Amino acid sequence: MTARSWRRQLTYALLRLEDVVETGIAAGARLGGHRYPLIIPFIGHGTTERARVGARLVLGRRAAVEPSAPAVRIGDAPSSPRSRRATLRVSLARFLTVEVPRASVTIHAPGGDVVVQTNRDGYIDHELELSGVAPGWLELRLSGPDGAHATARVLLVDPAVDVGVISDVDDTILNTGLTRGLDFLKATLLTDVEERTPLPGAAALYRALVTKPGKPERPVFYVSTSPWNLHEMLLQFVSMRGFPLGPLLLTDWGPSHTGLFRIGAQAHKPGLVRRLLDEHPQLRLVLIGDSGQEDPEIYGDIAREHPDRVAAVYIRRTTGIDLGRNDEIDALAAEITALGVPMRAVDDSVQIAEHASEHGLMDADAVAAVRAELS
């Protein structure tokens, strides 16, 4: 048996095992009152002609279905802190979802209703044709079986905008300790969203990068290999900590026809960045990541392929990285910079702000605000 054949059979077996386990979980959930379909919308994105709309259909309790979910607002005050046990229970609930596969969901679009089917994991990911809509934020009503409903927000990038930002999440805007396993588990499962720590100065930096006086706001896309189960938590973090709102482009964990378990960064991020370049041919991109994983190499490859489309690359140095890795990143940054694309490995948000202002990517006056937030 070849390695490819063995892998294919193992993937098939895991998919069948996942179906059996999820059937058992669904039966237990229904007995516990989780029997009503609930639509969880994701932030969509696109242009005034075409947009991508995503959501997930899961089972929930009636109390979670009937009220409309309140929108998360910038600057919402943190609620009273939960106990560690309560935080763990909420965190685990994000992953122990019961999906509703192969169900119909209707997107009530400006040009008419569109009916789509959820996949085997309860997701919809639909590319919607648009006409006669203005750039900015578009709200789309979604409806599903048994009265399930939700509102999805979709960012339609203004064609007059010339620069966009693509940012990693883990250890780039949010301290997660992704390269340190126990720290990552503690942050993910035992730390409430109100207690999650943003990187100092990052929110002020991102606000400065997307705002130019007298011009439409630039888009920011948050790209991460975190699972879609964390979308709501990350959205709350972005809003609460004052980061500009933007699509969160995450992944699905678990066996699939393209992989056995978690989708790696090399399989996820390059394709997303290239797709965004294709969808928005007028945009030059500022790419921001960290040294903990493969961001330097991924962004370096994109800069080599599209030197005229990448405005700058910034890599945050994470703690615990050995000197050899730092040397590799510095050498890569020098190579990419020599090709005409500024690439910098930095220690903090102020270094990014100073470099970006020197290259006309943000106003020089905004550097002081980043420095103030950092301190």
Side-chain angles (χ1 to χ4, degrees), residues 24-35:
I25 292 174
R30 287 187 173 91
L31 289 174
H34 293 77
R35 60 181 68 127

Side-chain angles (χ1 to χ4, degrees), residues 45-333:
H45 63 94
T47 68
T48 54
E49 299 177 348
R50 185 177 293 107
R52 189 173 294 270
V53 181
R56 198 176 198 187
L57 188 64
V58 300
L59 294 181
R61 296 180 185 273
R62 181 175 292 280
V65 175
E66 289 179 343
S68 296
V72 179
R73 296 178 296 275
I74 299 295
D76 276 355
S79 59
S80 300
R82 296 188 181 99
S83 67
R84 290 296 183 214
R85 179 179 296 180
T87 298
L88 177 62
R89 186 166 60 247
V90 171
S91 299
L92 290 176
R94 296 189 181 109
F95 293 91
L96 300 178
T97 54
V98 181
E99 298 82 18
V100 183
R102 303 172 187 89
S104 296
V105 173
T106 301
I107 304 172
H108 302 277
D113 293 351
V114 178
V115 179
V116 297
Q117 297 288 315
T118 61
N119 66 10
R120 69 182 303 275
D121 295 312
Y123 291 102
I124 64 168
D125 181 13
H126 182 72
E127 195 165 310
L128 185 69
E129 298 290 334
L130 297 173
S131 178
V133 295
W137 286 100
L138 174 68
E139 292 192 349
L140 295 175
R141 190 167 62 89
L142 309 178
S143 59
D146 296 332
H149 62 276
T151 299
R153 301 188 68 187
V154 182
L155 175 62
L156 306 181
V157 177
D158 195 314
V161 174
D162 60 348
V163 173
V165 177
I166 292 181
S167 173
D168 186 39
V169 173
D170 300 307
D171 295 320
T172 302
I173 68 169
L174 169 66
N175 273 321
T176 61
L178 186 58
T179 58
R180 306 181 300 278
L182 290 178
D183 289 342
F184 176 69
L185 286 176
K186 180 181 178 181
T188 302
L189 298 179
L190 296 176
T191 306
D192 212 349
V193 63
E194 289 88 350
E195 300 173 8
R196 301 298 294 270
T197 307
L199 268 69
L205 170 67
Y206 283 46
R207 291 195 300 269
L209 285 171
V210 304
T211 304
K212 294 283 283 185
K215 294 187 177 181
E217 185 169 302
R218 295 167 171 173
V220 56
F221 303 91
Y222 300 99
V223 179
S224 173
T225 52
S226 292
W228 284 108
N229 308 68
L230 298 180
H231 182 275
E232 186 177 8
M233 184 276 290
L234 292 174
L235 175 59
Q236 187 177 358
F237 171 85
V238 164
S239 301
M240 184 180 299
R241 298 302 182 183
F243 286 88
L245 186 62
L248 293 159
L249 308 178
L250 311 179
T251 64
D252 187 28
W253 287 11
S256 70
H257 293 290
T258 57
L260 294 181
F261 298 107
R262 178 172 177 262
I263 298 175
Q266 282 286 2
H268 178 59
K269 292 181 181 178
L272 282 177
V273 176
R274 293 185 180 105
R275 193 178 77 196
L276 291 171
L277 285 169
D278 290 340
E279 291 175 353
H280 307 284
Q282 84 282 9
L283 288 183
R284 297 169 64 234
L285 298 178
V286 176
L287 307 177
I288 307 176
D290 66 89
S291 61
Q293 293 186 293
E294 301 168 276
D295 290 347
E297 288 75 17
I298 293 171
Y299 291 163
D301 287 344
I302 297 294
R304 290 190 191 97
E305 295 172 13
H306 305 279
D308 58 327
R309 301 289 307 281
V310 179
V313 179
Y314 299 112
I315 301 297
R316 290 182 178 273
R317 293 190 180 96
T318 55
T319 58
I321 299 299
D322 61 46
L323 294 177
R325 176 60 172 159
N326 278 331
D327 290 342
E328 290 175 0
I329 294 171
D330 288 339
L332 176 61

